[in-house]
DNA sequence: AGCTTCATGTAATCCGTTACATGATTCC
DNA sequence: GGAATCATGTAACGGATTACATGAAGCT
């Protein structure tokens, strides 16, 4: 269901075509809630059928493109969802699952896992930091387009919540990097102490 | 696919019946990879069909229960999976998604969200800390049963990786609490500065 | 006699992933 | 003329959630 609200949120900024949504998604909400194009197009149709979006066909050259805008019912749905109590998601992280059983594999394989975590979350953290900064200085294009259509007194809150969400994700990523580095040390320590015994 | 490996990992500790697996799951791997009973039973059957588990029917009173044990192929599969490069999961967190758009709702609703996050992750953190500690002092029943069947020189690594995984999840939870508390402050600050304007 | 725990599932539905599919337009 | 980007999807499959379903054993 969250994809629906991610799309709704994105479109409150500005009406967009399916394709533009796909692009804007990747550089904004998509960091928070990832979705592929093949999921986005059908969902837009369903949302239109449910009356959450208004769709107007626009001729452009020979092809027609569909511009989607949030309807009044869509705004209501978004606002209801925001106020809804959030049933927290139960953890389901393949990484921690693997980490818990690394005694089953070789020190080399264990190290490779942690190295990959460090690499991935370092990169992810950089992306999140860049994005957060571009929100704070309001240079982020999707945000900038949104702000243009809003009165100045709302800008502060709009920016603050978005930057704050990225801040949270950024800290998670940084924490993951620190954790994975400790994992590498753990593997070294266990190997030095001869704790890696043969497995059956 | 991870459920399969979660079950495999759990069963390397000791053969179990479906029901025991369900129980043990809840108090161990289930913290890391949550799954409902209705998912576990069919998956066990599929794993047996795929040759990863050996299943022997045991009469118990009038009913028969099935005891599942990891086969040689199952051990191989687990080991292969542990060495496999982990394609990191793209973020998909309804919480951050909501947080990013809280300017759309009232300060009261925003506060309620953050309060709920604080509550949930505090509780979750306590559970994770208790579990980590019971792993470290080896009093955790599922772990204790596993260790009994392993030579003493392997105990250190087995315990260390499990505690380390919980440690990582614990820090995530603590970080979430700190973040949500800052969210409450943010809402207060925005409200005081009159940044909550009327929405359309 | 009634509650809890043991014991094992099925069915429907939803959500997400992967792979495939097609064609126009714009820029170089 | 060819590449990138614009533009919009379908189909098959897999995995997870929710709700439903049943019945015995053991304890109080």
């Amino acid at each position: 269901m969250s994809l629906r609200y991610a799309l709704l949120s994105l479109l409150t900024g500005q009406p967009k075509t399916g394709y533009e949504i796909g692009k804007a998604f990747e550089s904004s909400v998509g960091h928070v809630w990832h979705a592929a194009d093949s999921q986005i197009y059908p969902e837009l149709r369903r949302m239109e059928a449910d009356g959450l979006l208004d769709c107007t066909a626009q001729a452009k050259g020979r092809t027609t493109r569909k511009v989607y805008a949030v309807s009044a019912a869509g705004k209501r749905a978004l606002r209801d969802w925001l106020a809804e109590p959030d049933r927290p998601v139960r953890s389901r992280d393949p990484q921690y699952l693997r980490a818990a059983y690394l005694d089953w594999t070789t020190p080399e394989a264990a190290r490779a896992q942690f190295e990959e975590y460090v690499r991935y979350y370092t990169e992810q953290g950089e992306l999140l930091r860049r994005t957060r900064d571009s929100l704070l200085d309001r240079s982020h294009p999707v945000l900038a387009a949104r702000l243009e259509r809003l009165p100045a007194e709302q800008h502060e809150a709009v920016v603050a919540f978005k930057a704050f969400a990225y801040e949270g994700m950024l800290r998670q990523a940084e924490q993951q990097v620190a954790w994975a580095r400790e994992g590498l040390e753990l593997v070294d320590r266990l190997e030095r102490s001869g704790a890696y015994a043969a497995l059956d």
Side-chain angles (χ1 to χ4, degrees), chain A residues 74-89:
Chain A
K75 287 183 189 174
R76 235 177 297 125
L78 177 59
R79 213 167 281 135
D80 289 350
W81 175 75
L82 282 163
E84 228 171 63
D86 191 0
R87 292 188 293 169
V89 211

Side-chain angles (χ1 to χ4, degrees), chain A residues 108-121 180 184:
Chain A
E108 289 70 37
R111 247 181 233 117
Q113 293 295 350
F114 286 125
E115 273 158 11
E116 176 55 22
Y117 301 160
V118 170
R119 202 201 55 69
Y120 176 72
Y121 285 106
L184 288 169

